[in-house]
Coordinates of all heavy atoms in Angstrom, one line a residue:
M279 N 55.2 93.7 96.6 CA 54.9 93.6 98.0 C 56.0 92.8 98.7 O 56.6 91.9 98.1 CB 53.6 92.9 98.2 CG 53.2 92.8 99.6 SD 51.5 92.5 100.0 CE 51.1 91.0 99.2
S280 N 56.3 93.2 99.9 CA 57.4 92.6 100.6 C 56.9 91.4 101.4 O 55.9 91.4 102.0 CB 58.0 93.6 101.6 OG 59.1 93.1 102.3
E281 N 57.7 90.3 101.2 CA 57.3 89.0 101.8 C 58.5 88.6 102.7 O 59.7 88.8 102.3 CB 57.1 87.9 100.8 CG 55.9 88.1 99.9 CD 54.6 87.7 100.6 OE1 54.7 86.8 101.4 OE2 53.6 88.3 100.3
P282 N 58.3 88.0 103.9 CA 59.4 87.5 104.7 C 60.0 86.3 104.1 O 59.4 85.4 103.6 CB 58.7 87.2 106.0 CG 57.3 87.0 105.7 CD 57.0 87.8 104.5
V283 N 61.4 86.3 104.1 CA 62.2 85.2 103.6 C 63.2 84.9 104.7 O 63.8 85.8 105.3 CB 62.9 85.6 102.3 CG1 63.9 84.4 101.9 CG2 61.9 85.9 101.2
T284 N 63.4 83.6 105.0 CA 64.3 83.2 106.1 C 65.6 82.7 105.4 O 65.5 81.9 104.5 CB 63.7 82.2 107.0 OG1 62.6 82.7 107.6 CG2 64.7 81.8 108.1
V285 N 66.7 83.3 105.8 CA 68.0 82.8 105.3 C 68.8 82.3 106.5 O 68.6 82.7 107.6 CB 68.8 83.9 104.6 CG1 68.1 84.3 103.3 CG2 69.1 85.1 105.5
R286 N 69.8 81.4 106.2 CA 70.6 80.8 107.2 C 72.1 81.2 107.0 O 72.6 80.9 106.0 CB 70.4 79.3 107.2 CG 70.9 78.6 108.4 CD 70.3 77.2 108.4 NE 70.7 76.5 109.6 CZ 70.1 76.6 110.8 NH1 69.2 77.4 110.9 NH2 70.6 75.9 111.8
I287 N 72.6 81.8 108.0 CA 74.0 82.3 108.0 C 74.7 81.8 109.3 O 74.3 82.2 110.4 CB 74.2 83.8 107.8 CG1 73.4 84.2 106.5 CG2 75.6 84.2 107.8 CD1 73.3 85.7 106.3
L288 N 75.8 81.1 109.1 CA 76.5 80.5 110.3 C 75.5 79.8 111.3 O 75.6 80.1 112.5 CB 77.3 81.6 111.0 CG 78.6 82.0 110.3 CD1 79.4 83.0 111.2 CD2 79.5 80.8 110.0
D289 N 74.7 79.0 110.7 CA 73.8 78.2 111.5 C 72.7 79.0 112.3 O 72.2 78.5 113.3 CB 74.5 77.2 112.5 CG 75.5 76.3 111.7 OD1 75.1 75.9 110.6 OD2 76.6 76.1 112.2
R290 N 72.5 80.3 111.9 CA 71.5 81.1 112.6 C 70.6 81.6 111.5 O 71.0 81.8 110.3 CB 72.1 82.3 113.2 CG 73.0 81.9 114.5 CD 73.5 83.1 115.2 NE 72.4 83.8 115.8 CZ 72.5 85.0 116.5 NH1 73.7 85.5 116.5 NH2 71.4 85.5 117.0
E291 N 69.3 81.6 111.8 CA 68.3 82.1 110.8 C 68.0 83.5 111.0 O 67.9 84.0 112.1 CB 67.0 81.2 111.0 CG 67.2 79.8 110.6 CD 66.0 79.0 110.5 OE1 64.9 79.5 111.1 OE2 66.0 77.9 110.0
Y292 N 67.8 84.2 109.9 CA 67.4 85.6 109.8 C 66.3 85.8 108.9 O 66.3 85.2 107.8 CB 68.6 86.5 109.3 CG 69.8 86.4 110.2 CD1 70.8 85.4 110.0 CD2 70.0 87.2 111.3 CE1 71.9 85.3 110.8 CE2 71.1 87.1 112.1 CZ 72.1 86.2 111.8 OH 73.2 86.0 112.6
T293 N 65.3 86.5 109.3 CA 64.1 86.8 108.4 C 64.2 88.2 107.9 O 64.4 89.1 108.6 CB 62.8 86.6 109.2 OG1 62.8 85.2 109.7 CG2 61.6 86.8 108.3
V294 N 64.1 88.3 106.5 CA 64.2 89.6 105.8 C 63.0 89.7 104.9 O 62.6 88.8 104.3 CB 65.5 89.6 105.0 CG1 65.7 90.9 104.3 CG2 66.7 89.2 105.9
G295 N 62.5 90.9 104.8 CA 61.4 91.2 103.9 C 61.9 91.6 102.6 O 62.6 92.6 102.5
V296 N 61.5 90.9 101.5 CA 61.9 91.2 100.2 C 60.8 91.0 99.2 O 59.9 90.2 99.5 CB 63.2 90.4 99.7 CG1 64.4 90.7 100.5 CG2 62.9 88.9 99.7
S297 N 60.9 91.6 98.0 CA 59.9 91.4 97.0 C 60.2 90.1 96.3 O 61.3 89.5 96.4 CB 59.9 92.5 96.0 OG 61.1 92.6 95.3
D298 N 59.2 89.5 95.6 CA 59.4 88.3 94.9 C 60.6 88.3 93.9 O 61.3 87.3 93.9 CB 58.1 87.9 94.1 CG 57.0 87.4 95.0 OD1 57.3 87.0 96.2 OD2 55.8 87.4 94.6
D299 N 60.8 89.4 93.2 CA 61.9 89.4 92.3 C 63.2 89.5 92.9 O 64.3 89.4 92.3 CB 61.7 90.5 91.2 CG 61.5 91.9 91.8 OD1 61.1 92.0 93.0 OD2 61.8 92.8 91.1
E300 N 63.3 89.8 94.2 CA 64.5 89.9 94.9 C 64.9 88.6 95.7 O 66.0 88.5 96.3 CB 64.5 91.1 95.9 CG 64.4 92.4 95.2 CD 64.3 93.5 96.2 OE1 63.5 93.4 97.2 OE2 64.9 94.6 96.0
R301 N 64.0 87.7 95.8 CA 64.2 86.5 96.6 C 65.4 85.7 96.2 O 66.3 85.3 97.0 CB 63.0 85.5 96.5 CG 61.9 85.9 97.4 CD 60.7 84.9 97.1 NE 59.6 85.3 98.0 CZ 59.3 84.6 99.1 NH1 59.9 83.5 99.4 NH2 58.3 85.1 99.8
A302 N 65.6 85.4 94.9 CA 66.7 84.6 94.5 C 68.0 85.3 94.7 O 69.0 84.7 95.2 CB 66.6 84.3 93.0
G303 N 68.1 86.6 94.5 CA 69.3 87.4 94.8 C 69.6 87.4 96.3 O 70.8 87.3 96.6
L304 N 68.6 87.5 97.1 CA 68.9 87.5 98.6 C 69.4 86.1 99.0 O 70.4 86.0 99.7 CB 67.6 87.8 99.3 CG 67.7 87.7 100.8 CD1 68.7 88.7 101.4 CD2 66.4 87.7 101.5
A305 N 68.8 85.0 98.5 CA 69.3 83.7 98.8 C 70.7 83.5 98.3 O 71.5 82.9 99.1 CB 68.3 82.6 98.1
S306 N 71.0 84.0 97.2 CA 72.4 83.8 96.6 C 73.4 84.7 97.5 O 74.5 84.2 97.8 CB 72.4 84.3 95.2 OG 73.7 84.3 94.7
A307 N 73.0 85.9 97.9 CA 73.8 86.7 98.7 C 74.0 86.1 100.1 O 75.2 86.1 100.6 CB 73.2 88.1 98.9
A308 N 73.0 85.5 100.6 CA 73.1 84.8 101.9 C 74.1 83.6 101.9 O 74.9 83.4 102.8 CB 71.7 84.4 102.4
R309 N 74.0 82.8 100.8 CA 74.9 81.7 100.6 C 76.4 82.2 100.5 O 77.3 81.6 101.1 CB 74.6 80.9 99.4 CG 73.4 80.0 99.7 CD 73.2 78.9 98.6 NE 73.0 79.5 97.3 CZ 71.9 80.0 96.8 NH1 70.8 79.9 97.5 NH2 71.8 80.5 95.6
M310 N 76.6 83.3 99.8 CA 77.9 83.8 99.6 C 78.4 84.4 100.9 O 79.6 84.1 101.3 CB 77.9 85.0 98.6 CG 79.3 85.6 98.4 SD 79.3 87.0 97.3 CE 78.7 88.2 98.4
L311 N 77.6 85.1 101.7 CA 78.0 85.6 103.0 C 78.3 84.5 103.9 O 79.3 84.5 104.6 CB 76.9 86.5 103.5 CG 77.2 87.1 104.9 CD1 78.4 88.0 104.8 CD2 76.0 87.9 105.4
D312 N 77.5 83.5 104.0 CA 77.8 82.3 104.8 C 79.1 81.7 104.5 O 79.9 81.4 105.4 CB 76.6 81.3 104.7 CG 76.8 80.1 105.6 OD1 76.8 80.3 106.8 OD2 77.0 79.0 105.0
A313 N 79.4 81.5 103.2 CA 80.6 80.9 102.8 C 81.8 81.7 103.2 O 82.8 81.2 103.7 CB 80.6 80.6 101.3
R314 N 81.7 83.0 103.0 CA 82.8 84.0 103.3 C 83.1 84.0 104.8 O 84.2 84.0 105.2 CB 82.5 85.4 102.8 CG 82.6 85.5 101.3 CD 84.0 85.3 100.8 NE 84.1 85.6 99.5 CZ 84.4 86.8 99.0 NH1 84.6 87.8 99.7 NH2 84.5 87.0 97.7
M315 N 82.0 84.0 105.6 CA 82.2 84.0 107.0 C 82.8 82.7 107.5 O 83.7 82.8 108.4 CB 80.8 84.3 107.7 CG 80.4 85.7 107.5 SD 78.8 86.1 108.3 CE 79.3 86.2 110.0
R316 N 82.4 81.6 107.0 CA 83.0 80.3 107.3 C 84.5 80.3 106.9 O 85.3 79.8 107.7 CB 82.2 79.2 106.7 CG 80.9 79.0 107.4 CD 80.1 77.9 106.7 NE 78.7 77.8 107.2 CZ 78.4 77.3 108.4 NH1 79.3 76.7 109.1 NH2 77.1 77.3 108.8
E317 N 84.8 80.8 105.8 CA 86.1 80.9 105.3 C 87.0 81.7 106.2 O 88.1 81.3 106.6 CB 86.1 81.5 103.9 CG 87.5 81.6 103.2 CD 87.4 82.2 101.9 OE1 86.5 81.8 101.1 OE2 88.2 83.1 101.6
L318 N 86.5 82.9 106.6 CA 87.3 83.8 107.5 C 87.4 83.2 108.9 O 88.5 83.3 109.5 CB 86.6 85.1 107.6 CG 87.0 86.2 106.6 CD1 86.2 87.4 106.7 CD2 88.5 86.5 106.6
R319 N 86.4 82.5 109.4 CA 86.4 81.9 110.7 C 87.4 80.8 110.7 O 88.1 80.5 111.7 CB 85.0 81.5 111.1 CG 85.0 80.8 112.5 CD 83.6 80.4 112.8 NE 83.2 79.2 112.0 CZ 82.1 78.6 112.1 NH1 81.2 79.0 112.9 NH2 81.9 77.6 111.3
G320 N 87.4 80.0 109.6 CA 88.3 78.9 109.6 C 88.0 77.9 110.7 O 86.8 77.6 110.9
G321 N 89.0 77.3 111.3 CA 88.7 76.4 112.4 C 88.5 77.0 113.8 O 88.2 76.3 114.7
N322 N 88.6 78.3 113.8 CA 88.5 79.0 115.1 C 87.0 79.4 115.4 O 86.5 80.4 115.0 CB 89.3 80.3 115.1 CG 89.3 81.0 116.4 OD1 88.6 80.6 117.4 ND2 90.0 82.1 116.5
K323 N 86.3 78.5 116.1 CA 84.9 78.6 116.3 C 84.6 79.6 117.5 O 83.5 79.9 117.8 CB 84.2 77.3 116.7 CG 84.5 76.3 115.6 CD 83.2 75.8 115.0 CE 83.5 74.7 114.0 NZ 82.5 74.6 113.0
M324 N 85.7 80.1 118.1 CA 85.6 81.0 119.2 C 85.5 82.5 118.8 O 85.3 83.4 119.6 CB 86.7 80.8 120.2 CG 86.8 79.4 120.8 SD 85.3 78.9 121.6 CE 85.3 80.0 123.0
V325 N 85.7 82.8 117.5 CA 85.6 84.2 117.0 C 84.2 84.7 117.3 O 83.2 84.0 117.0 CB 85.9 84.3 115.5 CG1 85.8 85.7 115.0 CG2 87.3 83.8 115.3
A326 N 84.1 85.9 117.9 CA 82.8 86.5 118.1 C 82.1 86.7 116.8 O 82.6 87.3 115.9 CB 83.0 87.8 118.9
P327 N 80.8 86.3 116.7 CA 80.0 86.5 115.5 C 80.0 87.9 115.0 O 80.0 88.2 113.8 CB 78.6 86.0 115.8 CG 78.8 85.1 117.0 CD 80.0 85.7 117.7
D328 N 79.8 88.9 115.9 CA 79.8 90.3 115.4 C 81.1 90.8 114.8 O 81.1 91.4 113.8 CB 79.3 91.2 116.5 CG 80.2 91.2 117.8 OD1 80.9 90.2 118.0 OD2 80.2 92.2 118.5
R329 N 82.2 90.3 115.4 CA 83.5 90.7 114.9 C 83.7 90.0 113.5 O 84.2 90.6 112.5 CB 84.6 90.2 115.8 CG 86.0 90.5 115.3 CD 87.0 90.3 116.4 NE 88.4 90.3 115.9 CZ 89.1 91.4 115.6 NH1 88.5 92.6 115.7 NH2 90.3 91.4 115.2
L330 N 83.3 88.8 113.4 CA 83.4 88.0 112.1 C 82.6 88.7 111.0 O 83.0 88.8 109.9 CB 83.0 86.6 112.3 CG 83.1 85.6 111.2 CD1 84.5 85.5 110.7 CD2 82.6 84.3 111.6
A331 N 81.4 89.2 111.4 CA 80.5 89.8 110.5 C 81.1 91.1 110.0 O 81.1 91.4 108.8 CB 79.1 90.1 111.1
V332 N 81.7 91.9 110.9 CA 82.3 93.2 110.5 C 83.5 92.9 109.6 O 83.7 93.6 108.5 CB 82.7 94.0 111.7 CG1 83.6 95.2 111.3 CG2 81.5 94.5 112.4
L333 N 84.4 91.9 109.9 CA 85.5 91.6 109.1 C 85.1 91.2 107.7 O 85.7 91.5 106.7 CB 86.4 90.6 109.7 CG 87.2 91.1 111.0 CD1 87.9 89.9 111.7 CD2 88.1 92.1 110.6
T334 N 84.1 90.3 107.6 CA 83.5 89.9 106.3 C 83.0 91.0 105.5 O 83.3 91.1 104.3 CB 82.5 88.8 106.5 OG1 83.0 87.7 107.3 CG2 82.0 88.2 105.2
A335 N 82.2 91.9 106.1 CA 81.7 93.1 105.4 C 82.8 94.0 104.9 O 82.7 94.5 103.8 CB 80.7 93.8 106.4
L336 N 83.8 94.1 105.7 CA 85.0 95.0 105.3 C 85.7 94.4 104.1 O 86.0 95.1 103.1 CB 85.9 95.1 106.5 CG 87.2 96.0 106.2 CD1 86.7 97.4 105.9 CD2 88.0 96.1 107.5
N337 N 85.9 93.0 104.1 CA 86.5 92.4 103.0 C 85.6 92.5 101.7 O 86.1 92.8 100.6 CB 86.7 90.9 103.3 CG 87.9 90.7 104.2 OD1 88.8 91.5 104.2 ND2 87.9 89.5 104.9
L338 N 84.3 92.3 101.9 CA 83.4 92.4 100.7 C 83.4 93.8 100.2 O 83.4 94.1 98.9 CB 82.0 91.9 101.1 CG 81.9 90.4 101.3 CD1 80.6 90.1 101.8 CD2 82.2 89.6 100.0
A339 N 83.4 94.8 101.1 CA 83.3 96.2 100.6 C 84.6 96.6 99.9 O 84.6 97.3 98.9 CB 83.2 97.1 101.9
H340 N 85.8 96.0 100.4 CA 87.0 96.3 99.7 C 87.1 95.7 98.3 O 87.5 96.3 97.4 CB 88.2 95.7 100.6 CG 89.5 96.0 100.0 ND1 90.3 95.0 99.5 CD2 90.2 97.2 99.9 CE1 91.4 95.6 99.1 NE2 91.4 96.9 99.3
E341 N 86.6 94.5 98.2 CA 86.5 93.8 96.9 C 85.6 94.6 95.9 O 86.0 94.8 94.8 CB 86.0 92.4 97.0 CG 87.0 91.4 97.6 CD 86.4 90.0 97.8 OE1 85.4 89.7 97.2 OE2 87.0 89.3 98.7
L342 N 84.5 95.1 96.5 CA 83.6 95.8 95.6 C 84.2 97.1 95.2 O 84.1 97.5 94.0 CB 82.3 96.1 96.4 CG 81.2 97.0 95.7 CD1 80.7 96.3 94.4 CD2 80.1 97.3 96.6
Q343 N 84.9 97.8 96.1 CA 85.6 99.0 95.8 C 86.7 98.8 94.7 O 86.8 99.6 93.8 CB 86.3 99.5 97.0 CG 86.8 101.0 96.9 CD 87.4 101.4 98.3 OE1 88.1 100.6 99.0 NE2 87.0 102.6 98.7
Q344 N 87.4 97.7 94.8 CA 88.4 97.4 93.8 C 87.8 97.1 92.4 O 88.3 97.5 91.4 CB 89.2 96.1 94.2 CG 90.2 96.4 95.3 CD 90.9 95.2 95.8 OE1 90.4 94.1 95.8 NE2 92.2 95.3 96.1
Q345 N 86.6 96.4 92.4 CA 85.9 96.1 91.2 C 85.4 97.3 90.5 O 85.5 97.5 89.3 CB 84.8 95.1 91.4 CG 85.3 93.7 91.8 CD 86.1 93.1 90.7 OE1 85.8 93.2 89.5 NE2 87.2 92.4 91.1
T346 N 84.9 98.3 91.3 CA 84.3 99.5 90.7 C 85.4 100.4 90.2 O 85.1 101.2 89.3 CB 83.4 100.2 91.6 OG1 84.1 100.5 92.8 CG2 82.1 99.4 91.9
A347 N 86.6 100.3 90.7 CA 87.7 101.1 90.3 C 88.3 100.7 89.0 O 89.0 101.4 88.3 CB 88.8 101.2 91.4
K348 N 88.2 99.4 88.7 CA 88.7 98.8 87.5 C 87.9 99.2 86.2 O 86.7 99.2 86.3 CB 88.7 97.3 87.5 CG 89.7 96.7 88.5 CD 89.7 95.2 88.4 CE 90.5 94.5 89.5 NZ 90.4 93.1 89.4
P349 N 88.5 99.4 85.1 CA 87.7 99.5 83.9 C 87.0 98.2 83.5 O 87.5 97.1 83.9 CB 88.8 99.9 82.8 CG 90.1 99.5 83.3 CD 90.0 99.4 84.8
A350 N 85.9 98.3 82.9 CA 85.1 97.1 82.6 C 85.9 96.2 81.7 O 86.5 96.6 80.7 CB 83.8 97.5 81.9
A351 N 86.0 94.9 82.1 CA 86.7 93.9 81.3 C 85.7 93.3 80.3 O 84.5 93.3 80.5 CB 87.2 92.8 82.2
P352 N 86.2 92.8 79.1 CA 85.4 92.3 78.1 C 84.5 91.1 78.6 O 83.4 91.0 78.1 CB 86.3 91.8 77.0 CG 87.6 92.5 77.3 CD 87.6 92.8 78.7
G353 N 85.0 90.3 79.4 CA 84.3 89.1 79.9 C 83.3 89.4 81.0 O 82.6 88.6 81.4
R354 N 83.3 90.7 81.4 CA 82.4 91.0 82.6 C 80.9 90.9 82.2 O 80.1 90.4 83.0 CB 82.7 92.5 83.0 CG 82.0 92.8 84.2 CD 82.5 94.2 84.7 NE 82.8 94.0 86.1 CZ 83.6 94.8 86.8 NH1 84.1 95.9 86.3 NH2 83.8 94.6 88.1
A355 N 80.5 91.2 81.0 CA 79.2 91.0 80.5 C 78.8 89.5 80.6 O 77.6 89.2 81.0 CB 79.0 91.6 79.1
A356 N 79.7 88.7 80.2 CA 79.4 87.2 80.2 C 79.2 86.8 81.7 O 78.3 86.0 82.0 CB 80.5 86.4 79.6
L357 N 80.0 87.3 82.6 CA 79.9 86.9 84.0 C 78.6 87.4 84.6 O 77.9 86.7 85.4 CB 81.1 87.5 84.8 CG 82.4 86.8 84.6 CD1 83.5 87.6 85.4 CD2 82.4 85.4 85.0
A358 N 78.1 88.6 84.2 CA 76.9 89.1 84.6 C 75.7 88.2 84.1 O 74.8 87.9 84.9 CB 76.7 90.5 84.1
L359 N 75.8 87.7 82.9 CA 74.8 86.8 82.4 C 74.8 85.5 83.2 O 73.7 84.9 83.5 CB 75.0 86.5 80.9 CG 74.7 87.6 79.9 CD1 75.1 87.3 78.5 CD2 73.2 87.9 80.0
I360 N 75.9 85.0 83.5 CA 76.0 83.7 84.3 C 75.4 83.9 85.7 O 74.7 83.1 86.2 CB 77.5 83.2 84.3 CG1 78.0 82.8 83.0 CG2 77.7 82.1 85.4 CD1 79.4 82.5 82.8
D361 N 75.8 85.1 86.3 CA 75.2 85.4 87.6 C 73.7 85.4 87.5 O 73.0 84.9 88.4 CB 75.7 86.7 88.2 CG 77.2 86.6 88.7 OD1 77.6 85.4 88.9 OD2 77.8 87.6 88.8
E362 N 73.1 86.1 86.5 CA 71.7 86.2 86.4 C 71.1 84.8 86.2 O 70.0 84.5 86.7 CB 71.3 87.1 85.2 CG 69.9 87.3 85.0 CD 69.1 87.9 86.2 OE1 69.8 88.6 87.0 OE2 67.9 87.7 86.3
A363 N 71.7 84.0 85.4 CA 71.2 82.6 85.1 C 71.2 81.8 86.4 O 70.3 81.1 86.7 CB 72.1 81.9 84.1
N364 N 72.3 82.0 87.2 CA 72.3 81.3 88.5 C 71.2 81.8 89.5 O 70.6 80.9 90.1 CB 73.7 81.5 89.2 CG 74.8 80.6 88.7 OD1 74.5 79.6 88.2 ND2 76.0 81.1 88.7
R365 N 70.9 83.0 89.5 CA 69.8 83.5 90.3 C 68.5 83.0 89.9 O 67.7 82.6 90.7 CB 69.8 85.1 90.3 CG 70.8 85.7 91.2 CD 70.5 87.2 91.3 NE 70.8 88.0 90.1 CZ 72.1 88.4 89.8 NH1 73.1 88.1 90.6 NH2 72.3 89.0 88.7
K366 N 68.3 82.9 88.6 CA 67.1 82.3 88.0 C 66.9 80.8 88.4 O 65.9 80.3 88.8 CB 66.9 82.5 86.5 CG 66.7 84.0 86.2 CD 66.6 84.2 84.7 CE 66.3 85.7 84.4 NZ 66.2 85.9 83.0
L367 N 68.1 80.1 88.3 CA 68.0 78.7 88.6 C 67.8 78.5 90.1 O 67.0 77.6 90.5 CB 69.4 78.0 88.3 CG 69.6 77.8 86.8 CD1 71.0 77.3 86.5 CD2 68.6 76.7 86.3
D368 N 68.4 79.3 90.9 CA 68.1 79.3 92.4 C 66.6 79.5 92.7 O 66.1 78.8 93.5 CB 68.9 80.3 93.1 CG 70.4 80.0 93.2 OD1 70.7 78.8 93.1 OD2 71.2 80.9 93.5
A369 N 66.0 80.4 92.0 CA 64.6 80.7 92.2 C 63.8 79.5 91.8 O 62.8 79.1 92.5 CB 64.2 81.9 91.4
L370 N 64.1 78.9 90.6 CA 63.4 77.7 90.2 C 63.5 76.6 91.1 O 62.5 75.8 91.4 CB 63.8 77.3 88.8 CG 63.4 78.3 87.6 CD1 64.1 77.9 86.3 CD2 61.9 78.2 87.5
L371 N 64.7 76.3 91.6 CA 65.0 75.2 92.5 C 64.2 75.5 93.9 O 63.8 74.5 94.5 CB 66.5 75.0 92.8 CG 67.2 74.5 91.6 CD1 68.7 74.5 91.8 CD2 66.8 73.1 91.2
A372 N 64.2 76.7 94.3 CA 63.5 77.0 95.5 C 62.0 76.7 95.5 O 61.3 76.4 96.4 CB 63.7 78.5 95.9
Q373 N 61.4 76.8 94.2 CA 60.0 76.6 94.1 C 59.7 75.1 94.1 O 58.6 74.7 94.3 CB 59.5 77.2 92.7 CG 59.6 78.7 92.7 CD 59.2 79.2 91.4 OE1 59.0 78.5 90.4 NE2 59.2 80.6 91.3
S374 N 60.7 74.3 93.8 CA 60.4 72.8 93.7 C 60.2 72.2 95.1 O 60.6 72.6 96.1 CB 61.6 72.1 93.1 OG 61.8 72.6 91.8

């Protein structure tokens, strides 16, 4: 069942409906998006949020495209395990 979850990106809150098993992943993705948008914005607080969002999405899509074009690296499985462990830890910490 879908439950509303509120995430914070660039000091604005967004509510998204996700299932319980997707909560940790969504929280992790929101933190990554917030960090990337802040990184791109830098010290220029006058950048329009919609423009910043599109540039960030374009950068992330480009990185994803590059990753899927590469042959699987031996350490990739280990990174996937670490990512999953981080998601589980995020979920546990959120429950506290």
